[in-house]
Amino acid sequence: MPKMNVPGDESVGIDDLSVYVPGLFLPLAGEFSTNRGIDPGKLVKGIGIERMAVPDAHEDAASMAAMSLLDLMRRTNLHPQDIGKIYVGTESAPDEAKALGTYVIGMLEQIYGKGSFQECSTVEFKAACIGTTFALESLSYWVAAEEEGKVGIVIASDVAKYPLASAGEYTQGAGSIALLVKKNPRLLALEQIYGSFTRDENDFFRPMGCTTAIVNGKHSNQCYLDAMRGAFDSYAAKSRRLEVITPEKGECVTDFVDHLLFHIPYPRMVEYASAAILRHDWKESRRSGEIERELGREPAAQDYDDIEKYRAAEADYARRFAKSEQFLQAYRAKVKDTATLSRQIGNIYTGSIYLGLASLLELQKIHAKERVCFGAYGSGCSALFFSAIAQPQAESVPLRGLLQRLEERKQISLQDYELLHEGKKKESVLPPKGEFALMGIDHQGYRHYEYVE
Ligand code: HMG
């Protein structure tokens, strides 16, 4: 079987990215944890989030998307006529029919001139948190076939929202990420090997008319892990078949991976995901013997007459695996840093996995020729596992100063957070300045945005 699309002269991938995060945040330890009666240690360590980004009264998924794209265009000196398509991944769109990207184009034309984007098409991808990744996959094939030198943009934009005082509340967040997808990218060339997994599930969904998600929390964690294992197996089989990753006896697929980026609903989930995938992948490798010496034999279902006893033994083994030196070493080397920004922002749904990429870039952890694997997840549920190779110019792409920008945000009170959450705060906490703002919604429901100098 021939190798497929291994990055060469005409590789396609991510050239640059921009991140937009609202200027407001709520710390989880303090007023919030006291009011909700939750031990702050659970939020900061058990969940892994220190601060949640909170959108101000003038912000929504469309205004945040316009902000991340404007920043990307300015960073890369991109003009509207250079852009062929804008694909938007979102599950917080303000309209059931009109594409969010058309609002974004309307906003950007206030800067670049009316009609400047009229030859650019835009479509929305909805698949919970995996929407942006499906957008990236599709757009990469369009970019590969494009012959006029145009580039594509993928935008993730979401407000992650659960009911007040629910178990989902402390995993909220908000933000947008814009990715520049082009031929011969400076950052990451996609290997175009996608392993997928899909199953009908009720782990997390938002029926028409609901403003917050309905979530079966523990079940959602399990669905995420099952789907990720399925997508990983599919990726591993394809990459072997295509001879892109060719482990020898005793080796395994993740031995050929330098960074493992997972969808980050909250940082601890990345720990659970990496433990599940590495344990699974190591089973056939020389590491399995080393792990067995450290932890003893894995529980096997046939050794138990009671399924509950087997489940308890399995949960105990998984906990011990996640504390094993073997796992912790791999976790620190390949995974831990990906959650740096998420700890300060929370879940931004479909952009969360790319927030992981932004973390690695800001920490200057990605080096030329390294393989970066992505494990995307979207409730409902789907997972996609795919890979990219860091390009020689990856380290020379200017940083975005994200960690500093996060320090400059304004802390808000629990009362302001609750009013914003319930849509009862009409005045912005921070009046808009140098940004797109939602100015009003007219009697038909059409939204009016303006760039406020
Ligand atoms: P919960 O009941 O609040 O948390 O639910 P918990 O009781 O399971 O505790 C979490 C961890 O904190 C545990 O760690 C506790 O021990 C620890 P573990 O035992 O697993 O190692 N803990 C403490 N640690 C330190 N000090 C303490 C302490 N107390 C306890 N004092 C849950 C957590 C995430 C389920 C909930 O917040 C939730 O429902 N969130 C929303 C759903 C979600 O994020 N699911 C994730 C998977 S689904 C997904 O990723 C898709 C999604 O992004 C949406 C989409 O696709 O669009 C959500």
Side-chain angles (χ1 to χ4, degrees), residues 225-241:
L225 297 178
D226 289 352
M228 199 60 75
R229 258 188 303 261
F232 175 78
D233 281 345
S234 164
Y235 169 86
K238 277 186 197 166
S239 62
R240 282 188 158 115
R241 208 167 55 236

Side-chain angles (χ1 to χ4, degrees), residues 23-216:
L24 307 178
F25 76 89
L26 181 73
L28 291 190
E31 204 187 356
F32 176 83
S33 56
T34 307
N35 183 280
R36 300 292 190 259
I38 305 172
D39 183 328
K42 169 177 171 168
L43 302 174
V44 174
K45 292 209 175 77
I47 297 289
I49 299 177
E50 291 173 22
R51 296 168 167 189
M52 273 182 340
V54 180
D56 210 332
H58 61 271
E59 293 183 300
D60 65 10
S63 71
M64 294 192 302
M67 288 302 292
S68 65
L69 178 53
L70 179 63
D71 185 59
L72 183 69
M73 290 179 70
R74 286 178 169 161
R75 258 179 82 75
T76 54
N77 199 22
L78 201 63
H79 300 285
Q81 59 274 20
D82 302 329
I83 305 172
K85 290 187 188 295
I86 300 175
Y87 284 0
V88 181
T90 184
E91 52 181 295
S92 333
D95 200 281
E96 307 275 20
K98 180 177 162 62
L100 185 139
T102 55
Y103 275 128
V104 172
I105 282 175
M107 284 182 250
L108 287 167
E109 287 193 348
Q110 294 177 28
I111 309 279
Y112 291 97
K114 195 134 191 73
S116 53
F117 280 85
Q118 76 181 24
E119 283 194 63
C120 168
S121 51
T122 181
V123 67
E124 218 170 281
F125 281 65
K126 184 184 72 178
C129 289
I130 202 169
T132 297
T133 296
F134 287 145
L136 173 64
E137 182 192 17
S138 297
L139 195 68
S140 69
Y141 290 115
W142 175 80
V143 170
E146 215 287 321
E147 286 182 345
E148 291 179 336
K150 294 212 175 201
V151 302
I153 301 287
V154 172
I155 308 179
S157 194
D158 271 311
V159 177
K161 208 168 163 193
Y162 300 93
L164 292 176
S166 69
E169 188 184 22
Y170 34 83
T171 59
Q172 297 176 126
S176 174
I177 300 196
L179 309 176
L180 172 55
V181 184
K182 64 187 283 287
K183 287 181 181 156
N184 302 319
R186 289 173 302 162
L187 287 181
L188 292 178
L190 293 162
E191 292 194 282
Q192 300 301 54
I193 303 170
Y194 297 91
S196 54
F197 178 96
T198 305
R199 181 167 84 192
D200 179 19
E201 278 295 348
N202 68 345
D203 60 327
F204 165 109
F205 52 104
R206 185 162 65 83
M208 293 288 182
C210 295
T211 56
T212 53
I214 292 167
V215 61
N216 297 309

Side-chain angles (χ1 to χ4, degrees), residues 39 41-42 45-47 91 128-129 162 167-168 170-171 203-204 215 217-218 220-221 224 263 265-266 268-269 272 347 349 377-379:
D39 183 328
K42 169 177 171 168
K45 292 209 175 77
I47 297 289
E91 52 181 295
C129 289
Y162 300 93
Y170 34 83
T171 59
D203 60 327
F204 165 109
V215 61
K218 296 280 169 358
S220 74
N221 286 354
Y224 176 128
H263 165 53
Y266 54 98
R268 276 307 295 294
M269 190 71 222
Y272 304 149
N347 194 358
Y349 283 161
Y377 177 73
S379 286

Side-chain angles (χ1 to χ4, degrees), residues 337-356:
D337 294 323
T338 66
T340 303
L341 292 169
S342 299
R343 286 184 205 289
Q344 304 302 324
I345 295 170
N347 194 358
I348 62 164
Y349 283 161
T350 182
S352 292
I353 186 168
Y354 302 100
L355 209 49

Side-chain angles (χ1 to χ4, degrees), residues 140-432:
S140 69
Y141 290 115
W142 175 80
V143 170
E146 215 287 321
E147 286 182 345
E148 291 179 336
K150 294 212 175 201
V151 302
I153 301 287
V154 172
I155 308 179
S157 194
D158 271 311
V159 177
K161 208 168 163 193
Y162 300 93
L164 292 176
S166 69
E169 188 184 22
Y170 34 83
T171 59
Q172 297 176 126
S176 174
I177 300 196
L179 309 176
L180 172 55
V181 184
K182 64 187 283 287
K183 287 181 181 156
N184 302 319
R186 289 173 302 162
L187 287 181
L188 292 178
L190 293 162
E191 292 194 282
Q192 300 301 54
I193 303 170
Y194 297 91
S196 54
F197 178 96
T198 305
R199 181 167 84 192
D200 179 19
E201 278 295 348
N202 68 345
D203 60 327
F204 165 109
F205 52 104
R206 185 162 65 83
M208 293 288 182
C210 295
T211 56
T212 53
I214 292 167
V215 61
N216 297 309
K218 296 280 169 358
H219 181 54
S220 74
N221 286 354
Q222 197 50 52
C223 289
Y224 176 128
L225 297 178
D226 289 352
M228 199 60 75
R229 258 188 303 261
F232 175 78
D233 281 345
S234 164
Y235 169 86
K238 277 186 197 166
S239 62
R240 282 188 158 115
R241 208 167 55 236
L242 295 165
E243 295 173 18
V244 172
I245 296 181
T246 48
E248 304 210 328
K249 198 168 169 1
E251 291 180 330
C252 55
V253 168
T254 52
D255 289 341
F256 296 78
V257 175
D258 300 287
H259 303 281
L260 267 167
L261 279 153
F262 292 101
H263 165 53
I264 318 176
Y266 54 98
R268 276 307 295 294
M269 190 71 222
V270 165
E271 213 178 298
Y272 304 149
S274 46
I277 293 302
L278 291 174
R279 177 180 161 195
H280 180 64
D281 188 42
W282 288 353
K283 269 191 187 142
E284 303 302 318
S285 78
R286 71 170 80 88
R287 286 174 191 264
S288 60
E290 295 163 16
I291 290 283
E292 197 170 309
R293 275 193 290 285
E294 192 178 336
L295 303 182
R297 262 188 64 219
E298 279 204 26
Q302 64 270 19
D303 297 341
Y304 294 83
D305 46 13
D306 178 343
I307 182 78
E308 288 312 318
K309 281 191 185 144
Y310 165 66
R311 285 200 182 122
E314 170 53 35
D316 175 63
Y317 184 89
R319 250 190 303 277
R320 287 188 296 119
F321 180 89
K323 291 196 173 108
S324 69
E325 201 37 50
Q326 293 267 339
F327 167 70
L328 288 174
Q329 248 180 36
Y331 175 72
R332 283 187 216 111
K334 300 183 190 208
V335 186
K336 188 168 181 270
D337 294 323
T338 66
T340 303
L341 292 169
S342 299
R343 286 184 205 289
Q344 304 302 324
I345 295 170
N347 194 358
I348 62 164
Y349 283 161
T350 182
S352 292
I353 186 168
Y354 302 100
L355 209 49
L357 175 59
S359 293
L360 293 185
L361 293 171
E362 288 308 288
L363 297 170
Q364 296 176 279
K365 295 282 177 178
I366 296 188
H367 306 293
K369 297 192 183 156
E370 286 182 333
R371 176 174 280 118
V372 180
C373 273
F374 294 79
Y377 177 73
S379 286
C381 71
S382 301
L384 200 69
F385 202 95
F386 63 103
S387 54
I389 302 293
Q391 297 301 286
Q393 282 172 279
E395 289 163 73
S396 57
V397 176
L399 299 178
R400 294 145 199 86
L402 285 169
L403 293 163
Q404 178 59 34
R405 268 164 50 197
L406 292 176
E407 284 310 305
E408 290 160 4
R409 292 176 299 172
K410 182 178 170 59
Q411 177 174 336
I412 54 171
S413 64
L414 182 67
Q415 188 188 20
D416 274 347
Y417 151 72
E418 291 189 347
L419 289 170
L420 284 166
H421 187 282
E422 297 303 285
K424 290 181 180 155
K425 193 157 181 68
K426 300 299 170 211
E427 293 290 309
S428 298
V429 177
L430 283 177

